[in-house]
Amino acid sequence: SMHPLQIACDARLVDCVHVQLQAGINPNALAEPSPLQLCNTVGTYLGARAPCRETTAIVSMACAPWTPEATPLFGRTFSEGVLSVFRLQHQLERVGKLPTLPTEMWLHIASFVDRSWFAPARCETAAMLEGVATRRIWRKRRFGCDEIEESAPTVEEEDCE
């Protein structure tokens, strides 16, 4: 059986994919076929949709190591964990008695942080659904999509479990 993220990738439901990634689902931890493979292939079933540039781009970014630009795709708990690391950097700089690393080094170190270090305790789909318009604007800015692909207007809570 497939995970809801895999189903959403195969169906090209970009909003559903975005919601699940923001809820902290790790696309790299799912069984084969991977979400990225599903985004890049056309299913053999009747009604299968062609690959969607926007869905593929968002899943590709979520599968790559963390970067500041990809923060919205790593989930709230992961983002808070990385933010804590940067708060520590700021505190060390304020003390001034200890040697510190430049921000670029902290960013490089943070790119090696595994999602599982700050995994979410549970799916937070309801809160994620409220930001549909924000997610679409973010994707348009990030990926330059002129057309916004429509997808399922709602996601059921059990889809994220």
Side-chain angles (χ1 to χ4, degrees):
S1 86
M2 290 175 51
H3 186 277
L5 179 60
Q6 292 168 308
I7 294 168
C9 289
D10 190 39
R12 316 307 186 227
L13 301 174
V14 70
D15 283 333
C16 189
V17 169
H18 204 160
V19 164
Q20 291 184 61
L21 293 172
Q22 279 190 317
I25 303 299
N26 183 353
N28 296 319
L30 301 177
E32 294 291 324
S34 75
L36 193 54
Q37 288 171 327
L38 291 166
C39 285
N40 287 313
T41 58
V42 178
T44 56
Y45 55 88
L46 184 63
R49 297 176 71 186
C52 166
R53 181 174 52 100
E54 188 176 6
T55 306
T56 302
I58 198 170
V59 173
S60 293
M61 184 179 237
C63 288
W66 176 86
T67 62
E69 295 81 22
T71 298
L73 303 177
F74 277 71
R76 183 187 55 79
T77 55
F78 185 90
S79 299
E80 288 174 359
V82 170
L83 183 59
S84 295
V85 170
F86 286 101
R87 284 189 189 122
L88 172 63
Q89 175 210 10
H90 181 70
Q91 291 296 329
L92 290 172
E93 287 175 351
R94 282 187 39 204
V95 171
K97 295 179 182 177
L98 300 170
T100 60
L101 296 173
T103 301
E104 294 78 19
M105 290 296 294
W106 284 97
L107 290 168
H108 185 68
I109 291 166
S111 73
F112 290 96
V113 174
D114 190 79
R115 285 175 184 260
S116 63
W117 294 4
F118 304 113
R122 63 179 182 83
C123 182
E124 299 175 356
T125 307
M128 292 295 128
L129 281 173
E130 295 172 5
V132 171
T134 304
R135 284 190 297 278
R136 287 183 179 171
I137 291 168
W138 179 84
R139 289 193 309 266
K140 184 170 180 140
R141 284 186 195 146
R142 180 71 181 119
F143 304 119
C145 299
D146 292 330
E147 73 287 343
I148 299 295
E149 173 115 1
E150 292 300 321
S151 62
T154 61
V155 176
E156 299 299 323
E157 183 73 28
E158 62 269 8
D159 287 346
C160 293
E161 295 175 1

